[in-house]
Amino acid sequence: MASTVTTEPSENPAAPSRPGYGQLLRIRGVWTFLLPGFAARQPFAMLTISIVLLVQHTTGSYGVAGAAAAVTGVSMALFAPYSGRLADRNGQHAVLIPGVLVHALSGLSLTALALSHAPLWALLAAAVPTGASVPQIGPMVRARWGARLQGSPLTATAVAFESVTDELTFVVGPLLATALCTAVAPAAGLVTEAALTLLGGLLFAGRRSSQPPVTERGHARVRQPSALRIPGVRVLVVAFLGIGSVFGGMQVSLTAFSESTGRPGLNGVLYGTFAAGNMLSGITCGAITWKAAPPRRLVIGYAALALTASSLWIAHSAPLLAGLGFLVGSCIAPALITGYTLVGDLVAAGARTEAFTWLTGAVALGQAAAVTVAGQLEDRAWDGAGFLVPMAGTLLALATLLTLRSRLAGPPRARTVARGVGHRAPVAVD
């Protein structure tokens, strides 16, 4: 595979079997889409917590706040795959330009309605376009890496790097949103989120030279089956729904815990600790050369996630909750990285952007459901009852993984040209 189209200045045929992050980031031109891409993907991390904090402030109800956030998440989950398919067919630029404009306007409209104490139906109506128009920057960045590397040994490193970037987003985004909503104004989180979406999205869309070529036009669209028809992708969707339940349950429950202690600013510290464990674990995963096959790694990693998430509801002090949150976060990154890696083995290149959007949409849907249920539990049950949601979500997803794990490997891998590279992670970024 010597005929890659990469332009790495330091890569040579004798490159090590596990190239490092430094070599990856020295590829000419990658920072032109990585930096705006990082800013533009903040909505995924900021949006839910910003809505929860604003609507809870204006209504006094976690249930109402959770419902508004849930509608946003459901809309994002339903529309994300179609956004991915449109990007594959028409190009990322054509999808992003109108998308970021609609999202910014919708987010500002939702903010104005919440501040004016509009009825619930009006908040939910505004939440639909806000969620549906969230730009799918993460899958688009992965697609650009795939177009740039095309089977290079650096591809596996790019998988880990993108997952670490996602984790860093979940460190920066909620912390920024919480700080703005508690220290500046309740609406500051959503306003900043809209501004970052508009600025970062337009800059990212403007880097047209790095976007992957359009692979589907005209009648070719009809011939390309949906990635969701692949059994292994459906199993991964269930696993990512469980991961979303952790994010949503933690956001609401940590906010409620902080409010119950009389220290609302503690929410940012607790969630930041959770997200830091996520990010540090992702960095470590990217530095390891794995010997176990991805399906086995996913099952083992997910079992650890379910075990740690099941312990959250027993925590009644901030230090204990921070420690348990760090452990839960540390178990999320391996599951995410392995799931994205498996997409490369299961899905043909022409449908991978859509496959990635199904997974990110599953996280959003799981997050939305968890926010709703956890909000109701915090309103109507005991303090900390919302932590039961991550436990239930991960245990159900783990049971599905254990039952259907054979669908994560098998026939799709046989389509690779050489059997010796069929299980190797470098085909996983696209």
Side-chain angles (χ1 to χ4, degrees):
M1 303 290 290
S3 59
T4 62
V5 295
T6 58
T7 57
E8 296 92 335
S10 60
E11 188 176 4
N12 55 61
S17 60
R18 187 62 175 173
Y21 292 119
Q23 188 178 1
L24 179 74
L25 298 178
R26 287 195 297 270
I27 298 175
R28 187 173 60 188
V30 298
W31 285 105
T32 61
F33 67 85
L34 288 182
L35 288 178
F38 180 78
R41 71 173 68 186
Q42 291 304 312
F44 193 80
M46 293 182 66
L47 186 59
T48 300
I49 188 64
S50 296
I51 291 175
V52 168
L53 292 173
L54 173 61
V55 178
Q56 194 279 330
H57 173 81
T58 57
T59 66
S61 170
Y62 286 106
V64 173
V71 170
T72 304
V74 171
S75 299
M76 178 163 57
L78 293 178
F79 280 87
Y82 297 102
S83 174
R85 298 200 83 180
L86 286 173
D88 282 335
R89 188 176 76 246
N90 301 313
Q92 296 179 1
H93 179 270
V95 174
L96 279 172
I97 296 297
V100 296
L101 293 174
V102 170
H103 182 75
L105 291 174
S106 300
L108 293 176
S109 299
L110 178 58
T111 303
L113 288 170
L115 291 175
S116 63
H117 301 281
L120 177 60
W121 67 264
L123 295 178
L124 300 184
V128 172
T130 302
S133 58
V134 170
Q136 298 302 309
I137 300 297
M140 290 182 180
V141 173
R142 286 180 170 88
R144 294 190 184 210
W145 276 122
R148 178 63 62 92
L149 298 177
Q150 295 194 14
S152 161
L154 285 166
T155 309
T157 308
V159 170
F161 178 80
E162 278 307 302
S163 295
V164 170
T165 303
D166 285 338
E167 312 320 322
L168 181 59
T169 299
F170 277 99
V171 173
V172 175
L175 282 175
L176 178 60
T178 301
L180 289 169
C181 290
T182 57
V184 179
L190 270 180
V191 172
T192 303
E193 184 268 347
L196 283 174
T197 300
L198 187 61
L199 178 61
L202 292 177
L203 288 175
F204 182 80
R207 305 304 305 176
R208 302 180 67 171
S209 61
S210 62
Q211 73 177 14
V214 175
T215 57
E216 296 183 47
R217 286 195 182 275
H219 297 294
R221 181 189 179 192
V222 179
R223 303 189 195 105
Q224 179 63 57
S226 170
L228 198 61
R229 295 181 62 182
I230 301 172
V233 172
R234 296 197 293 270
V235 176
L236 290 176
V237 165
V238 174
F240 276 56
L241 281 169
I243 292 174
S245 75
V246 177
F247 286 124
M250 291 288 281
Q251 286 179 347
V252 171
S253 301
L254 291 177
T255 300
F257 176 86
S258 301
E259 292 285 349
S260 69
T261 63
R263 295 178 293 170
L266 183 62
N267 179 41
V269 176
L270 292 175
Y271 197 88
T273 302
F274 160 72
N278 202 349
M279 183 185 67
L280 293 175
S281 178
I283 294 173
T284 302
C285 286
I288 295 175
T289 302
W290 297 99
K291 295 182 180 180
R296 184 184 180 194
R297 297 204 314 265
L298 181 60
V299 171
I300 294 174
Y302 217 96
L305 174 61
L307 178 63
T308 54
S310 298
S311 65
L312 288 168
W313 67 277
I314 67 173
H316 299 292
S317 68
L320 179 58
L321 188 55
L324 290 174
F326 183 86
L327 291 177
V328 173
S330 298
C331 294
I332 287 179
L336 284 174
I337 291 174
T338 307
Y340 283 126
T341 299
L342 280 165
V343 169
D345 293 338
L346 296 169
V347 182
R352 286 181 191 158
T353 302
E354 182 201 351
F356 284 129
T357 56
W358 277 114
L359 298 188
T360 56
V363 173
L365 185 59
Q367 185 176 8
V371 165
T372 303
V373 177
Q376 294 293 331
L377 288 174
E378 292 291 348
D379 276 346
R380 303 185 181 189
W382 67 91
D383 289 341
F387 287 121
L388 295 175
V389 175
M391 178 180 72
T394 53
L395 287 176
L396 289 173
L398 176 62
T400 303
L401 278 177
L402 291 173
T403 303
L404 303 176
R405 61 185 181 276
S406 62
R407 300 188 181 185
L408 298 175
R413 189 171 296 173
R415 291 199 300 264
T416 56
V417 176
R419 293 178 61 92
V421 298
H423 69 285
R424 182 169 168 78
V427 293
V429 171
D430 195 1

